[in-house]
Amino acid sequence: MRRGAARASASVQALAVVWALPLVVVALLGPVGWTGRVWSGAPSDLRAAVTVWAPWPADATAAPLVLAVVAAVLAGAARATTAWRDPAAAGAVALVWATAIVFPVALRLPYVAGLFAQGLTVVAALAVAAHARRTPASLTAVLLSLLTAVGLALLSLASRGATLAVLAALTGIFAVAAAHRRLTAVCASASLAGAAGLACAVGAAADWPPAHTALLVLIVPAAAALLAPRVPRIAVPVEATGAVVGLLAIGPAATDAPVLALVLALCGVIAAGTAVRADRRRAGYAAAALFVLATWVRLGSWAVDTPEAYTLPVTVPALVVGFVRRRRDPEASSWTAYGPGLSATLVPSLLAAWADADWPRPLLLGTAALVLTLLGARHRLQAPLVLGGSVLVLDVLHELAPCLVQLAGMLPRWLPPALAGVLLLALGATYEQRIRDARRVREVLGRMR
């Protein structure tokens, strides 16, 4: 009889929660509508703020009470039973959170008071996550705190002052919460994300161009690079957050080529600073790529049509340094020794050759690429072979493209599909041999330095 009564009660309460869920959905997803009406003016109350694009369900006044009652029942069940203790505790945390989200909207609190109530909900969820004895309840509280923070940030988009205040508060709240060992990784990343949003809001409030705002956003990856070595246990999530923010900063800067070159160079400085650490040496590759890309963007912004005048003075000493490195350490990879120097000239020259209608640059580039390919094959160096061969193939294709297009226009239309069919038949008939050839080529390249 007890089991039957418990199941009947659970069914009724589950239906009651399902009835109240539309309010939670509106309170949670309604603020998304402010993304299309940023800083258009603060609404009168919190209900108007969350119903900017979704209507408020009718006859839903009792929904917060329903959620609170079921949360109390689940909390009691978590204390009374052992089999369902963890799910009941997590469910109680979720329903208490839902009550806290819906209740201010149902009361139609003023807009500022509603933002404050949502901020208190974030703090309370983090406190539960930090001190909950059950792991499921703690994880649930952490996720709900992040969800509430996102909703609060969206709600604040109605007013410029509210946006700046809310993002600054969220950054500080998560930074303080990161001091708790259980929450350090998640909250540190969330604080950095809030700081990135605050930087964007400050730039927009100051009427800066998006490209200049990107420079302000770079403070976040720089802070992440400084913080990571001091707290090793959260180094990976913090550095990942900083890297994502740095990549996102490149987008707004793309509208201004000189600023984009500066942003790329600063990202390269941050990556180079990270590569100083013994366990982050590979960040040096990213730093080199960012520096080279910044150089190319700067040359492009200056309308330079002879990039070799700028790249060759870098390539020659880089190759000399690589040669000395190989003499001292014959086991060093050719990519480490010669890859940066060769790429610094070959790639810009290839791009210039593709945009050049004359023949001298493609001829000289093709000759240099052929020499590099032969040298790489002769000395069993992977970097010159791969880079030289790739540039040679692309250069030849560019030069032969007009002839191939003209030839294709002279041939009957049925001939290209027929040739393609014959080629596929030949490949299919010699499939196993082609696979063996590909493996042999891979093995040969793998044995090269």
Side-chain angles (χ1 to χ4, degrees), residues 4-444:
R7 289 176 178 175
S9 174
S11 301
V12 173
Q13 292 179 75
L15 290 174
V17 170
V18 171
W19 169 79
L21 279 181
L23 273 77
V24 181
V25 174
V26 172
L28 192 61
L29 299 181
V32 176
W34 288 106
T35 55
R37 304 172 58 181
V38 177
W39 296 351
S40 59
S44 57
D45 55 66
L46 194 60
R47 183 178 296 185
V50 301
T51 56
V52 66
W53 66 279
W56 184 255
D59 301 327
T61 307
L65 180 60
V66 169
L67 294 171
V69 169
V70 179
V73 172
L74 286 177
R79 291 176 174 271
T81 182
T82 57
W84 297 91
R85 181 169 296 174
D86 288 346
V93 170
L95 289 179
V96 170
W97 167 81
T99 304
I101 291 295
V102 172
F103 191 65
V105 182
L107 289 181
R108 306 190 74 157
L109 290 181
Y111 176 67
V112 176
L115 294 180
F116 187 74
Q118 297 279 39
L120 290 179
T121 303
V122 175
V123 174
L126 290 174
V128 172
H131 298 95
R133 297 181 179 180
R134 298 290 175 179
T135 302
S138 179
L139 291 176
T140 302
V142 169
L143 294 176
L144 293 178
S145 68
L146 296 176
L147 200 59
T148 310
V150 172
L152 178 57
L154 292 173
L155 276 176
S156 69
L157 293 178
S159 169
R160 177 182 300 182
T163 301
L164 296 174
V166 165
L167 290 176
L170 289 176
T171 302
I173 289 171
F174 283 108
V176 172
H180 195 282
R181 186 175 184 84
R182 185 186 294 181
L183 305 178
T184 302
V186 175
C187 289
S189 298
S191 180
L192 291 173
L198 179 61
C200 294
V202 169
D207 292 328
W208 289 359
H212 294 173
T213 302
L215 295 172
L216 186 61
V217 174
L218 289 182
I219 295 176
V220 176
L226 294 174
L227 177 63
R230 288 166 173 76
V231 191
R233 69 176 185 275
I234 62 166
V236 174
V238 166
E239 289 173 343
T241 305
V244 170
V245 173
L247 290 175
L248 293 177
I250 295 175
T255 57
D256 191 330
V259 177
L260 176 60
L262 179 58
V263 168
L264 291 171
L266 291 176
C267 289
V269 171
I270 296 172
T274 302
V276 172
R277 296 161 52 193
D279 57 342
R280 293 291 186 271
R281 296 299 189 198
R282 293 189 177 183
Y285 295 107
L290 288 168
F291 285 136
V292 172
L293 188 58
T295 303
W296 296 342
V297 172
R298 173 60 69 178
L299 294 178
S301 67
W302 286 339
V304 173
D305 55 1
T306 309
E308 294 81 5
Y310 297 88
T311 58
L312 284 175
V314 176
T315 294
V316 174
L319 293 178
V320 172
V321 172
F323 178 77
V324 174
R325 169 71 185 277
R326 288 274 300 176
R327 288 289 299 272
R328 293 182 177 180
D329 183 12
E331 298 299 322
S333 172
S334 62
W335 288 101
T336 304
Y338 304 123
L342 294 176
S343 301
T345 292
L346 288 177
V347 176
S349 296
L350 179 63
L351 295 176
W354 274 56
D356 194 347
D358 294 331
W359 59 269
R361 175 180 280 115
L363 177 61
L364 294 175
L365 178 62
T367 303
L370 178 60
V371 171
L372 285 175
T373 304
L374 296 177
L375 288 175
R378 172 67 178 80
H379 298 283
R380 305 181 64 82
L381 297 175
Q382 194 178 101
L385 176 62
V386 173
L387 289 175
S390 301
V391 171
L392 179 61
V393 170
L394 292 175
D395 187 48
V396 170
L397 286 177
H398 175 262
E399 294 305 306
L400 293 180
C403 299
L404 294 177
V405 171
Q406 185 178 5
L407 180 61
M410 297 173 58
L411 295 175
R413 293 185 177 181
W414 55 266
L415 187 57
L419 293 176
V422 172
L423 179 62
L424 289 176
L425 287 175
L427 290 176
T430 60
Y431 174 76
E432 295 183 356
Q433 181 62 36
R434 301 286 80 77
I435 292 295
R436 288 194 293 269
D437 293 341
R439 290 175 179 172
R440 192 176 298 111
V441 170
R442 185 181 64 182
E443 292 173 357
V444 171

